[in-house]
Amino acid sequence: MTKEYKTIVEISGPLIFVEKTEPVGFNELVEIRTGDEIKRGQVLDTSDEIVVVQVFEGTGGLSKASAVKFTGDVIKMPLSPGIIGRVLSGSGRPRDGGPPIVPEVERDIIGAAINPASREKPRAFIQTGISTIDGTNTLVRGQKLPIFSGSGLPHNDVALQIARQAKTLEGAESFAVVFCAMGITNEEAQHFMADFERTGALERAVIFLNLADDPAVERILTPRLGLTTAEYLAFDLDMHVLIIYTDMTNYCESLRQMGAAREEVPGRRGYPGYMYTDLAIQYERAGIIRGKKGSITQFPILTMPGDDITHPIPDLSGYITEGQLIVSRELHRKGIYPPIDIRPSLSRLMNSGIGAGHTREDHRAVSDQLYAYYAEGCDLRGLAAIVGKEALSERDKLILEFADLFERRFVNQGRDEDRTIFETLQIGWDLLANLPEAMLTRVDDKYIQKYHPKHAGSAKKE
Amino acid sequence: MEVGKVKRVAGPVVQAVGLKASMYDLVLVGEEGLMSEVIGISGNKHVIQVYEDTSGVKPGEPVKETGAPLVAQLGPGILTSIYDGIQRPLTILAEKSGDFISRGLFVDGIDHKKKWEFKPIVKKGDVVKPGQAIGEVQEQLLIKHKIMVPPRMKGGAIKEIYSGNFNVDETVAVLEDGTKITMVQKWPVRQARPVTRKMPPTIPLRTGQRVIDGFFSLAKGGTAAIPGGFGTGKTVMQQTLSKWADVDAVIYVGCGERGNEMADLLHEFPELVDPRTNRPLMERSIVYANTSNMPVAAREASIYTGMTTAEYYRDMGYDCMMTADSTSRWAEAMRELASRLEEMPGEEGYPAYLGARLADFYERAGRAEVLNGGFGSVSVVGAVSPPGGDFTEPVTQNTLRMVKVFWALDSRLTQRRHFPSINWLDSYSLYDKDLEPWFTENVNADWNKNKKRAMAILQENAELEEIVMLVGSDALPEDQQMTLEVARMIINFWLAQSAFHPVDASCPYKKQFDLLQSILAYRDYSFEALKKGIPVDIIKNTPSKDALAKIRLVEDYEPDLKRVMAQMDSEFKAMK
Ligand SMILES: Nc1ncnc2c1ncn2[C@@H]1O[C@H](COP(=O)(O)OP(=O)(O)O)[C@@H](O)[C@H]1O
Ligand SMILES: [Mg+2]
């Protein structure tokens, strides 16, 4: 099995083609040796005649004289508690000058699917301290909630603020962080690292770094290694894990390159037809398993090419993840931070994490009402620009004003401002109180009686 | 049975030589015997799709024939089960292999050891036909499972028939010619089960959703598509329908979608009570959960497995509803497999037979006279997930050619949190005319009239809104301003319906009617008032109008509605 072959017949982009081998298994780990250097790859296609291998660390430096060894095993990630605090490369080798990970266990990085019947329904509210998340797009433990952004927008700051402030209401149990960088710049990576260091998060973090100048194919490996690590921390070591990976757009570009190298029939806009399934295999590795203490909550970050949400990368992601937070260029230009546009944003698991027993009974109603008038207000801006504010009806003027206030008071907050959910709901009520009560059609009267600033005083006396 | 050899492995597709298997036969690939299906034969090569992960499979490994296609096991014990796409019970997989699904596990679709009490309903000497029921098993507290002569058996006179407790493999009856009948049937999932004849759709399928029942209703045995971009409400709608539809059995197929959604459903259904029977919803449900990260070939099969179980319960004379979330993921599974076969791709890389497959699938729906006599139905609701929310893509287009009801989800409505985000101008139901008599007879003589009035108001509203975008609403004549207001009421007080509201999640026909009737009454009052020269701003500010907004949230709404309508009457009378 450990025989070496020197029968490379073709090297093409990230692929090598090897012939005259003994039977080789699909997905097997491959080692390619050139002199002292060993690169790793994986079998993509295997037959009697030829074996196709994708090389993760790039094919630069390989030649027909390189020796190929098929290991007879799939790729595995070495894991032990000692991995916490380590900085690794995008292919899992130490990048912090430390020793290799001495494994207690080794896990197949392909990751079998969690049996849907073994999943626990996620419903523990996570307070991020950010109103546009907690109030209107609530995150729960075990959710996968990506940030869709554009280049030059402060998505990293938002992600970091979430990582810093996230806690459940029961207490400040802290998350372990797994951070996977895929093709981001050194400067961006430093920004993350400095923040982790400043807040002490680094001590309970595992970092995988594949930077812009590292091989692109390696990026196919990075999230798989990160997620395998996250599963170990969550389901072996009982930790609550927050995994941030950025930038999924770079990951998808690598997939596209691989597809092109294999001369596959491309799907939409040149991306492989299996990209949905491939992304799902990553994103679905979030959640909670019944009877286990830990959990995996995912924060993938992706930049939408040309700010286009219908581009296949955000589109397919949105079809898999449990919602999305949209960072808006328009709000950013207005100087609003975090520039999260709630209208196209969504948290699909919000409902199970809010309400009596989780946050507060009026949460859903407040959120729905805020949404309805903010969306209407945004539409009215277009109208006001054409016909002038004066031509609007009284009702419309109120809503227009509401939308402006909403952005300034509810959306806008400080980079270190950590609002409790009750503060967030209070801001919501204060804004709604500017509208006549009869306009609050989404809110049950009993909540108006109890929480509307005009009545709240009397309710408290009871 | 032949044993062939693996020649090539690329993802879920394997090529093998040395087999005699036919198209769609089940074969077992590799040392682990991974469940697989023949999907192509060319020359001496068989092309095989594998229902499980193929990591580690090598050229030279054996491929064993089974001599039969992929079948569903049909018998008592299917209800309440949760399966993967090839009918393996997920709870049993979890017992065998833990929380993560591993490979090479064979598990029966139903429990072959469990004893069921079989009660014969025919006697010795009776002549039975294929499809005819010979006995019954109380499968759930309120659901009787008919034990039928398999459709492909010849039938004949009963020589022996037993009563008592049996497992599904034990003989419960013997025919004159010696044929033994058990309580399990095996049916190839890709073949439609036969019926005596298909019937026209004349009975609505009640969903409790005003926009559907009131505007775009589905018939029992009908087909509907819900296309929409991500987050527009496809899944919530399918779950809502599965909860409130007035059918006997629900087959929910989670085809290439989220694991947490399945967890949610599996968590909710045993706890929620079917209002028709007061029993847990789970007792009438069958769930197929082949999530997006589970093997694509099993995803491709899940639609057929689900349909076959739905047909089986239809054959007992039940009304069944199958929901598939999402048929686009099914189509993509076809595309993924086709591209590995290096087939000539059609539009957007989908195989050229995409349209034909979709057609075959939707053709299996319908209300029918079943072989047992009596009637049963399979209604199908398919979610469609168009890339970029663009309905011109091939899956949406091919689906719309087949289905009779189109619920177009609209992301502009989603952004305002108007749910269900079914666009009331683009959607349609081709059952409209067929169902009108039923509503007149069973709900109210004015049902259809009110519906047409409301739709006309919304149509006019859409035209007026275009003008408003140019000149503002204050520039409109007063009657048109009033129309805008009434349309807003129809939209916000009637079409909007939260799936999560404890009361409003499901709305009975009578309440649907009363609510719309009251809005139309307000409209009549206000136009009357306008004629008398009362300014529109005064009319719009009637307190009873705002009170109407919340009637739908009240369970026992009739006294409240009566009070509000009386108030409205006096408010308008007082206007000068
Ligand atoms: N009928 C409804 N009532 C209330 N909320 C809804 C309704 N339909 C959808 N939603 C909201 O929209 C979100 C997305 O809906 P979902 O059905 O998951 O979308 P899709 O399946 O189209 O991606 C849900 O999480 C829920 O918050
Ligand atoms: Mg969905």
Side-chain angles (χ1 to χ4, degrees), chain A residues 26-27 45 276 319 351 379 442, chain B residues 8 55-56 256 386 416 500:
Chain A
F26 175 69
N27 261 347
D45 194 332
Y276 175 81
Y319 270 121
N351 236 14
D379 291 348
R442 306 257 180 144
Chain B
R8 178 178 172 195
S55 291
R416 306 181 171 191
F500 305 117

Side-chain angles (χ1 to χ4, degrees), chain A residues 297-310:
Chain A
T297 308
Q298 286 192 18
F299 264 104
I301 300 174
L302 62 85
T303 46
M304 301 182 276
D307 288 354
D308 176 10
I309 197 170
T310 69

Side-chain angles (χ1 to χ4, degrees), chain A residues 348, chain B residues 234-235 257-258 261 325:
Chain A
R348 293 164 188 271
Chain B
K234 299 178 293 296
T235 303
E257 292 281 318
R258 302 178 182 84
E261 284 173 353
D325 187 15

Side-chain angles (χ1 to χ4, degrees), chain B residues 149 370 447 499 534 574:
Chain B
V149 178
V370 295
W447 177 278
I534 295 166

Side-chain angles (χ1 to χ4, degrees), chain A residues 1 23-28 44-49 74 110 112-123 136-137 142-144 148 231 235 262 264-268 273-274 276-277 280-281 284-290 292 309-310 314-316 318-322 324 342-349 351 364 368 371-372 375-376 379 382-383 386-387 390-393 395-396 437-438 440-445 448, chain B residues 6-12 53-60 82 89-94 97-102 228-232 234-235 255-264 266-268 289-294 296 299 329 332 335-336 339-340 342-343 345 348-349 384-389 414-419 468-475 485 488 492-493 496 498 500-501 540 546 549-550 552-553:
Chain A
M1 261 298 138
V24 169
F26 175 69
N27 261 347
E28 215 170 88
L44 289 185
D45 194 332
T46 172
S47 66
D48 291 347
E49 294 89 36
V74 293
I110 295 164
I114 299 178
N115 186 325
S118 298
R119 279 183 186 267
E120 183 66 73
K121 176 177 170 171
R123 54 188 148 170
T136 46
N137 291 286
Q143 183 170 9
K144 40 188 181 289
F148 290 4
E231 280 171 0
F235 305 131
R262 293 175 68 185
E264 290 165 346
V265 182
R268 200 162 150 252
Y274 50 79
Y276 175 81
T277 305
I281 287 171
E284 278 291 320
R285 292 172 85 174
I288 310 176
I289 290 175
R290 201 171 311 137
K292 302 239 162 140
I309 197 170
T310 69
D315 190 52
L316 293 178
Y319 270 121
I320 305 163
T321 54
E322 282 136 1
Q324 65 280 337
I342 64 161
R343 290 170 301 159
S345 298
L346 168 70
S347 164
R348 293 164 188 271
L349 302 186
N351 236 14
R364 162 59 58 197
D368 282 353
Y371 255 106
E376 198 172 343
D379 291 348
L383 180 59
I386 302 169
V387 299
E390 309 70 43
L392 298 185
S393 69
R395 180 181 180 278
D396 290 355
E437 241 176 82
L440 306 186
T441 53
R442 306 257 180 144
V443 190
D444 286 35
D445 286 335
I448 295 186
Chain B
V6 172
K7 280 293 281 183
R8 178 178 172 195
V9 190
D53 177 36
T54 52
S55 291
V57 176
K58 296 187 186 74
I82 23 167
L90 287 170
T91 40
I92 300 191
L93 289 186
S97 76
D99 300 323
F100 293 86
I101 296 176
S102 59
F230 60 82
T232 50
K234 299 178 293 296
T235 303
C255 173
E257 292 281 318
R258 302 178 182 84
N260 278 336
E261 284 173 353
M262 301 314 301
D264 187 33
L266 297 177
H267 181 265
E268 259 199 308
N290 206 99
T291 55
S292 53
N293 55 337
M294 287 160 72
V296 282
R299 187 202 298 171
R329 305 303 166 218
E332 282 165 10
R335 175 169 73 182
E336 215 172 306
S339 78
R340 311 247 185 200
E342 284 150 20
E343 278 174 9
E348 304 231 358
V384 185
S385 320
T414 313
Q415 295 208 354
R416 306 181 171 191
R417 296 303 188 257
H418 173 100
F419 293 116
V468 170
M469 283 315 286
L470 299 174
V471 297
S473 58
D474 275 5
E485 186 66 19
R488 182 144 61 210
N492 293 333
F493 306 173
S498 169
F500 305 117
H501 194 279
K540 278 205 230 166
D546 295 321
K550 290 176 185 171
R552 67 200 159 112
L553 307 179

